[in-house]
């Protein structure tokens, strides 16, 4: 490379680094066997957001999406029904548009702007192993996932992959892809396909080309066991799935040079978090595992929660402190789902047809006190959950319900731009009134401003955000360009472990990488440097 070109490139890189707003990532996603669980140091926490509703549709999150002539007469309970009604060809066409637009690079810039450091990406088994003939699911998700992994790397966010839906279903809810009975345990084929999906997913996302951005893999989401629901599976079935799933991940992962194995995350199956000491103390279960964590989901929006006072909502979260703190001394505890919602929305999605965010948000912006409670609810939850290894908000978007939407909650200023910004003293040992809302740290005169209207989250200024990972920038430019212009990016996942990697390699998203890689080193460096200069 010519000296002048090199100098100009280095100046561009240095200037971009100097002006870049830092994102404080979890320092390590690895716990030394027998060591202090990662995430135990104050401030060194997972702070993230779920990309829910993207690769698995949930009608309550986007009800107006189904208010179209060819779907109005049917009740679209889940993604299975969506594809069953439309047929695979039309389903693919619509889902490709959804995958391309629902999550964009600007979302990742907003995450960086708010100093988030993690995204959790839920996906169904059908993305990773070929659907059976009777299953209406379609594939084609991998090029969009690839794009998101590159965005995560560029903008400085770690990724937790989550196999959100299992063959046969693990909880009977729409978030598993098919709303109905829990049938995962009914035949051995379901277990075999789940292991295949975990292995394929692991091999794909741990490839060198993703720069080690995937730090954790969650074996599945919210499994129901008999102790929680009469429709659940026997605990022994779930435990066997966890053991086999752990082995599938370990057998398929590619460990990056000078890195540790990926963290394997299991959900608590709605059991007390301290119960899981047993699982990791038994030789036939998890005693010999390395680098693992527990995911727990905490919502105060179901049952009789909607009738609680604001203080009762705060106290409900305070009451979680002791268990999370103690469990964190044994293993990392990540609150992988939570929200600001204190009631449910659009459970019957058709009842919300025609509504807008403005209609729903009015209840919160009609009084300053209501918005201030939202901020307090954010603060008590982030404080309590950081007694563990951290938290991941559900979810990035909601078409109508601001408290369930990270982007809308940020736009309303219920969520601070700096997650370490606190308005009130917090007393971790208090099971009630742990957040002292009577004595603001800086006094009442410094309370925040809340918009009195439904602010468009795209108005959040992200113009000063700069890339955090320049090694990934060229990959991002390539994948973004090709995914947005491709009109047919289906990919069939092979039933072999190597199939997942082959699927994305053969997709149109990989086409332009040959063009980029054909550049000389000097030209490639200059291309990246000029892009950085343009960003500055």
């Amino acid at each position: 490379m010519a000296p002048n070109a090199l100098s100009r490139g280095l100046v561009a890189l240095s200037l971009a680094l100097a002006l870049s707003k830092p994102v404080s990532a979890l320092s390590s996603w690895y716990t030394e066997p027998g060591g202090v669980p990662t995430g135990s140091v104050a401030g060194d926490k997972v702070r993230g957001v779920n990309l829910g509703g993207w690769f698995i549709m949930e009608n309550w999150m986007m009800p107006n999406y189904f208010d179209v002539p060819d779907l109005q007469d049917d009740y679209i309970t889940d993604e299975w029904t969506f594809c069953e009604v439309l047929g695979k060809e039309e389903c693919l066409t619509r889902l490709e548009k959804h995958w391309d637009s629902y999550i964009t690079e600007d979302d990742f810039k907003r995450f960086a702007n708010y100093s988030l450091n993690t995204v959790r990406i839920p996906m169904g088994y059908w993305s990773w192993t070929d659907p059976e003939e009777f299953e209406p699911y379609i594939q084609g998700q991998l090029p969009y996932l690839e794009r998101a992994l590159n965005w995560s790397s560029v903008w400085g966010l770690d990724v937790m992959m989550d196999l959100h839906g299992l063959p046969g279903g693990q909880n009977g809810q729409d978030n598993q892809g098919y709303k109905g009975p829990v049938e995962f345990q009914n035949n051995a084929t379901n277990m075999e396909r789940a292991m295949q999906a975990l292995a394929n997913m692991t091999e794909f996302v741990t490839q060198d080309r993703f720069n080690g951005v995937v730090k954790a893999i969650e074996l599945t989401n919210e499994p129901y066991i008999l102790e929680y629901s009469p429709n659940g599976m026997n605990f022994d079935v779930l435990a066997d799935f966890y053991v086999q799933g752990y082995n599938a991940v370990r057998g398929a992962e590619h460990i990056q040079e000078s890195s540790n194995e990926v963290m394997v995350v299991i959900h608590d199956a709605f059991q007390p978090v301290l119960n899981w000491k047993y699982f990791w103390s038994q030789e036939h279960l998890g005693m010999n595992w390395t680098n693992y964590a527990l995911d727990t989901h905490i919502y105060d929006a179901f049952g009789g929660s909607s009738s609680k006072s604001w203080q009762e909502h705060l106290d409900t979260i305070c009451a979680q402190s002791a268990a999370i703190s103690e469990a964190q001394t044994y293993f990392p505890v990540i609150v992988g789902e939570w929200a600001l919602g204190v009631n449910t929305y659009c459970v019957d999605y058709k009842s919300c047809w025609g509504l807008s965010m403005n209609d729903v948000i009015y209840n919160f912006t009609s009084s300053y006190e209501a918005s201030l409670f939202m901020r307090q609810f954010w603060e008590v939850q982030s404080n309590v959950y950081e007694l563990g290894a951290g938290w991941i908000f559900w979810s990035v978007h909601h078409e109508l319900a601001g408290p369930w939407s990270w982007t809308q909650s940020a736009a309303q200023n219920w969520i601070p731009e700096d997650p370490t910004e606190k308005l009130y003293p917090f007393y971790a040992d208090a099971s009630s009134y742990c957040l002292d809302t009577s004595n603001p740290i800086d006094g009442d005169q410094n309370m925040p401003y809340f918009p009195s209207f439904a602010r468009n989250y795209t108005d959040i200024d992200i113009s000063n955000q700069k890339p955090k990972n320049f090694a990934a920038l060229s990959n991002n430019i390539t994948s973004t360009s090709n995914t947005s212009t491709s009109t047919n990016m289906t990919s069939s996942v092979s039933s072999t472990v190597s199939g997942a990697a082959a699927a994305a390699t053969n997709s149109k998203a990989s086409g332009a990488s040959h063009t980029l890689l054909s550049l000389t080193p000097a030209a490639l460096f200059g291309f990246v440097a000029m892009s950085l200069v343009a960003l500055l």
Side-chain angles (χ1 to χ4, degrees):
M1 180 181 293
N4 287 343
L6 177 61
S7 298
R8 288 194 300 271
L10 290 175
V11 168
L13 289 171
S14 300
L15 184 56
L17 285 169
L19 295 179
S20 172
K21 179 179 178 179
V23 174
S24 179
L26 183 68
S27 61
S28 174
W29 286 80
Y30 177 72
T31 298
E32 189 78 27
V36 176
T38 190
S40 295
V41 176
D44 183 21
K45 304 293 179 179
V46 174
R47 292 169 175 152
V49 63
N50 282 275
L51 305 189
W54 190 22
F55 290 126
I56 300 182
M57 305 183 79
E58 297 187 36
N59 60 24
W60 70 282
M61 297 175 67
M62 43 191 295
N64 288 323
Y65 183 82
F66 306 98
D67 187 10
V68 292
D70 53 358
L71 296 177
Q72 288 171 338
D73 293 336
D74 295 280
Y75 201 88
I76 308 300
T77 54
D78 44 44
E79 188 162 323
W80 176 294
T81 308
F82 181 76
C83 290
E84 191 173 50
V85 169
L86 292 175
K88 290 191 174 183
E89 184 175 348
E90 180 62 21
C91 183
L92 174 62
T93 297
R94 296 195 192 186
L95 284 182
E96 281 187 329
K97 292 178 180 177
H98 172 69
W99 296 333
D100 189 51
S101 60
Y102 193 71
I103 300 295
T104 70
E105 186 168 13
D106 277 353
D107 289 316
F108 286 78
K109 293 180 183 180
R110 278 183 279 272
F111 302 157
N113 188 68
Y114 277 71
S115 295
L116 299 184
N117 58 35
T118 302
V119 292
R120 178 174 177 253
I121 304 180
M123 298 186 76
Y125 70 92
W126 58 91
S127 299
W128 299 105
T129 185
D130 291 333
E132 298 287 355
E133 186 175 346
F134 68 90
E135 296 174 319
Y137 294 128
I138 55 94
Q139 295 178 329
Q141 300 89 344
L142 299 194
Y144 301 93
L145 172 64
E146 178 175 352
R147 187 171 68 174
L149 296 182
N150 285 327
W151 287 338
S152 297
S153 186
V154 167
W155 298 103
L157 292 107
D158 296 327
V159 176
M160 178 189 295
M161 294 298 304
D162 162 34
L163 194 64
H164 215 67
L166 296 184
Q170 76 279 8
N171 59 35
Q173 302 302 310
D174 58 351
N175 60 61
Q176 69 178 19
Y178 176 77
K179 190 169 185 176
V182 177
E183 297 182 330
F184 171 72
Q185 72 276 19
N186 287 356
N187 63 70
T189 301
N190 287 336
M191 180 74 80
E192 293 170 2
R193 296 180 74 203
M195 294 306 108
Q196 183 182 91
L198 281 169
N200 285 353
M201 181 171 73
T202 301
E203 184 181 15
F204 179 77
V205 301
T206 60
Q207 294 176 84
D208 279 331
R209 64 196 179 100
F210 295 126
N211 304 302
V213 71
V214 174
K215 299 296 196 301
I217 292 178
E218 184 161 6
L219 300 183
T220 198
N221 175 71
E222 296 184 352
Y224 283 13
I225 59 175
L226 292 173
E227 288 79 358
Y228 176 73
S229 168
N231 299 317
M233 68 184 80
N234 188 288
F235 174 77
D236 291 340
V237 174
L238 177 63
D240 183 43
F241 165 75
Y242 280 163
V243 170
Q244 290 194 46
Y246 174 86
N247 291 331
V249 170
R250 289 285 175 257
E253 71 179 316
H254 168 67
I255 301 176
Q256 301 283 317
E257 186 176 351
S258 303
S259 298
N260 300 110
E261 65 266 36
V262 70
M263 177 185 283
V264 174
V265 181
I266 63 173
H267 186 264
D268 65 6
F270 301 104
Q271 300 306 291
V273 290
L274 284 165
N275 284 14
W276 290 89
K277 287 175 56 181
Y278 169 82
F279 182 87
W280 282 304
S281 69
Q282 300 299 306
E283 187 171 359
H284 69 289
L285 296 175
M287 177 185 285
N288 298 316
W289 287 20
T290 60
N291 199 25
Y292 53 84
L294 185 72
D295 175 23
T296 187
H297 297 171
I298 300 175
Y299 293 114
D300 194 27
F302 303 103
S305 294
S306 60
S307 64
K308 290 181 179 178
S309 68
W310 290 342
Q311 185 59 51
E312 286 172 329
H313 284 296
L314 300 180
D315 285 348
T316 297
I317 305 303
C318 293
Q320 306 286 330
S321 298
I324 291 175
S325 295
E326 184 178 352
Q328 179 65 29
T329 66
Y330 301 107
F331 42 79
V333 178
I334 301 171
V335 181
E337 290 188 20
W338 62 284
L340 299 187
V342 295
N343 49 29
T344 56
Y345 289 84
C346 305
V347 175
D348 175 4
Y349 74 96
K350 289 190 177 185
S351 69
C352 289
W353 278 358
L355 295 180
S356 68
M357 181 67 76
N358 280 321
D359 298 321
V360 178
I361 212 78
Y362 175 79
N363 293 328
F364 301 99
T365 59
S366 59
S367 74
Y368 183 87
E369 289 73 21
S371 282
L372 185 59
F373 165 69
M374 288 286 106
R375 180 62 172 265
Q376 292 168 349
F377 202 40
W378 153 268
E379 194 159 314
V380 73
Q381 291 192 84
S382 60
N383 278 324
V384 169
Y385 305 157
E386 289 193 14
L387 297 174
W391 45 264
I392 309 175
F393 190 95
W394 185 277
S395 180
V396 55
H397 300 307
H398 191 293
E399 187 178 51
L400 298 175
W404 292 85
S405 165
W406 179 88
T407 45
Q408 193 62 40
S409 294
Q412 298 306 134
N413 206 25
W414 300 335
I415 294 176
E417 194 166 302
D418 178 357
T420 67
E421 176 187 302
K422 304 297 180 182
L423 300 179
Y424 305 99
F426 173 66
Y427 303 104
D429 295 333
S431 60
S432 180
Y433 289 87
C434 62
L435 194 71
D436 187 0
T437 57
S438 298
N439 296 288
I441 295 172
D442 294 324
D444 290 332
Q445 70 277 8
N446 291 314
M447 288 293 100
Y449 159 76
F450 301 110
S452 59
F453 56 92
R455 184 187 178 206
N456 192 326
Y457 71 83
T458 60
D459 291 340
I460 296 172
D461 184 9
I462 54 176
S463 61
N464 291 325
Q465 286 306 305
K466 308 301 176 188
K468 310 300 186 295
N469 183 348
F470 296 96
L473 187 58
S474 61
N475 288 337
N476 175 58
I477 293 169
T478 302
S479 66
T480 302
S481 172
N482 282 272
T483 305
S484 61
T485 57
S486 175
T487 58
N488 182 22
M489 299 195 312
T490 59
S491 60
S492 176
V493 183
S494 171
S495 60
T496 62
V497 172
S498 60
T505 302
N506 292 330
S507 73
K508 288 191 175 183
S510 65
S513 62
H514 300 296
T515 302
L516 188 62
L517 293 175
S518 67
L519 298 174
T520 64
L524 177 58
F525 189 94
F527 175 72
V528 174
M530 285 188 294
S531 299
L532 292 175
V533 171
L535 287 169
L536 295 171

